[in-house]
Amino acid sequence: MTVRVQAWGIIAAVLADSDPAGAAVRQRLSDSLGENPGVPERALLEYLLERRQQDSANGGNPDAARSLQPLNAMPPLLAERLDSLRSLSRISALLEKQMLMTAFQPIYGLGSRSVVGVEALSRFVSDDGAGAELWFAEAAAVGLGANLEFSALASAAAAAASLPERLYVALNISPKSCLDPRLPELFDHIELPISRIVLELTDGISDEEYSHFIAAITPLRDRGLRIAIDDSHPNAGTLSRMLHLRPDFIKLGRNMISGVDQDPSQQALAACMVDFAEQIGSVLVAEGVETAEELRVLTELGFSAGQGYLLGRPSVRPKDWAAWNTPLDAEGLRHTSAEGRNAAEATHAVHGSSGPDRH
């Protein structure tokens, strides 16, 4: 039995109910069927959402629960389809109302001790408190992943107008969205110069997509676009891929940075990555820097740049962005390291990581 046939069966059972309390909602279900000809799943989804809201308002009374009995035995395939439609509706509404804003996190040049760039991170205006990762995953699941990523990129580009022109802006994007033909058009319609943009890849590139990715990204790099990759787990395969791709930036995550000041083997690996980055002409960025001791060792090892809660937290406020013009005070950071570490530990407990978001 198809999903559509199952939906019709449930709708028929709902409309056959004679409970006066649900008459108005059933009428709207009937009207929705007329507005969505041939798509009963969508009409049923709207009905389910309205009944859920009504049930919550009624405090879950027995009469409301009884009226939902035809839905209790919903076939799994139909339930999955309805969940997909609900996600599609949520993401479409978010895109239509532009319910997202941009936070920037500073990236410091460790040699100059000044901010050289920022990473743009999406913040969503929603009542369920869902994080950016969940929104992007949900959008990808219903085929709107690139749409949401492009909307986030446009939002970040607009917000970047408040930043000093000398700073580059790292924008997170999935390799799959880089294959979308709309990407070059996006750069033609935003005011942020392509020479200031760094596309930071949020995922690895599959072997099947690699040649297509190179074909799509090369013309943009020729125009001045730069790319960054996250290499938190360096191995022979990823190093070989980087040797060919030669990214402009290589970012090492918190799992490699944490405790680098205390572990000689970790320092040895970090030193190898410094040498590798220099050989292929990449800027090596340490993400998730939380202590002054880590910062000191990373600077001594030759890392080009650093990012993390010790150096600056993500913020949506332009007045915070303006404060980043102050040169990095390494000695002052050393005195406040314990305070920053405690704050990071508190954030770990809430969010699970102090490293930058992936969007």
Side-chain angles (χ1 to χ4, degrees):
M1 182 181 298
T2 66
V3 167
R4 190 149 294 169
V5 171
Q6 293 172 345
W8 277 120
I10 293 176
I11 289 172
V14 170
L15 294 178
D17 187 17
S18 59
D19 180 15
V25 180
R26 289 197 300 275
Q27 181 59 51
R28 283 191 285 275
L29 171 59
S30 180
D31 294 341
S32 182
L33 286 173
E35 297 168 0
N36 298 276
V39 193
E41 309 99 309
R42 185 174 295 279
L44 181 56
L45 172 63
E46 294 176 359
Y47 169 79
L48 285 171
L49 294 176
E50 186 166 358
R51 284 316 305 256
R52 178 178 296 176
Q53 294 172 354
Q54 187 181 75
D55 189 31
S56 297
N58 292 335
N61 67 60
D63 291 337
R66 182 177 63 80
S67 67
L68 289 175
Q69 285 180 359
L71 308 178
N72 293 336
M74 186 182 298
L77 186 59
L78 178 58
E80 181 179 342
R81 179 67 179 273
L82 289 174
D83 281 343
S84 178
L85 283 171
R86 182 170 55 186
S87 292
L88 186 64
S89 177
R90 275 165 47 88
I91 300 300
S92 297
L94 185 148
L95 290 170
E96 181 180 352
K97 299 176 182 178
Q98 297 183 335
M99 298 165 57
L100 59 84
M101 61 181 66
T102 301
F104 291 118
Q105 184 173 29
I107 301 172
Y108 274 87
L110 299 188
S112 64
R113 294 188 177 182
S114 61
V115 177
V116 294
V118 298
E119 181 177 354
L121 304 168
S122 296
R123 297 293 182 261
F124 291 85
V125 182
S126 63
D127 57 5
D128 60 1
E133 292 287 348
L134 294 178
W135 278 106
F136 283 102
E138 185 173 1
V142 295
L144 293 177
N147 296 56
L148 185 54
E149 289 191 33
F150 291 163
S151 180
L153 294 187
S155 175
S162 300
L163 296 171
E165 294 183 359
R166 61 183 175 80
L167 303 183
Y168 68 79
V169 182
L171 307 173
N172 287 287
I173 190 172
S174 65
K176 185 174 182 180
S177 291
C178 290
L179 305 180
D180 194 301
R182 293 173 294 177
L183 182 61
E185 299 176 7
L186 177 68
F187 295 130
D188 293 332
H189 291 89
I190 60 177
E191 296 184 6
L192 188 64
I194 195 170
S195 59
R196 289 182 59 196
I197 297 174
V198 176
L199 286 189
E200 187 167 327
L201 304 182
T202 58
D203 299 300
I205 309 169
S206 68
D207 292 338
E208 295 76 15
E209 292 181 334
Y210 186 70
S211 60
H212 301 292
F213 172 81
I214 294 297
I217 209 70
T218 297
L220 297 175
R221 296 184 79 179
D222 290 341
R223 291 170 53 186
L225 177 76
R226 289 174 288 176
I227 62 172
I229 63 172
D230 187 323
D231 188 54
S232 297
H233 304 279
N235 56 54
T238 56
L239 293 177
S240 176
R241 177 68 62 82
M242 281 193 291
L243 191 60
H244 179 263
L245 184 59
R246 293 182 181 268
D248 301 280
F249 298 85
I250 299 174
K251 305 190 78 171
L252 298 186
R254 178 65 186 161
N255 63 311
M256 285 195 62
I257 301 305
S258 176
V260 69
D261 55 306
Q262 303 171 13
D263 188 341
S265 61
Q266 210 170 326
Q267 294 175 24
L269 179 57
C272 288
M273 288 302 300
V274 169
D275 185 58
F276 179 78
E278 290 178 351
Q279 293 297 324
I280 66 173
S282 297
V283 173
L284 190 63
V285 183
E287 290 186 306
V289 181
E290 292 185 357
T291 72
E293 292 77 14
E294 291 169 352
L295 179 63
R296 175 185 57 78
V297 170
L298 294 169
T299 303
E300 292 173 352
L301 288 173
F303 273 69
S304 301
Q307 178 181 355
Y309 284 171
L310 177 72
L311 303 171
R313 293 172 177 267
S315 174
V316 299
R317 301 186 301 178
K319 71 174 185 178
D320 290 336
W321 309 342
W324 297 336
N325 291 326
T326 304
L328 180 65
D329 179 5
E331 192 62 34
L333 288 175
R334 189 167 292 110
H335 291 311
T336 60
S337 179
E339 179 181 343
R341 184 161 50 245
N342 291 337
E345 289 172 354
T347 304
H348 276 169
V350 177
H351 299 292
S353 173
S354 70
D357 309 56
R358 299 315 308 158
H359 279 289

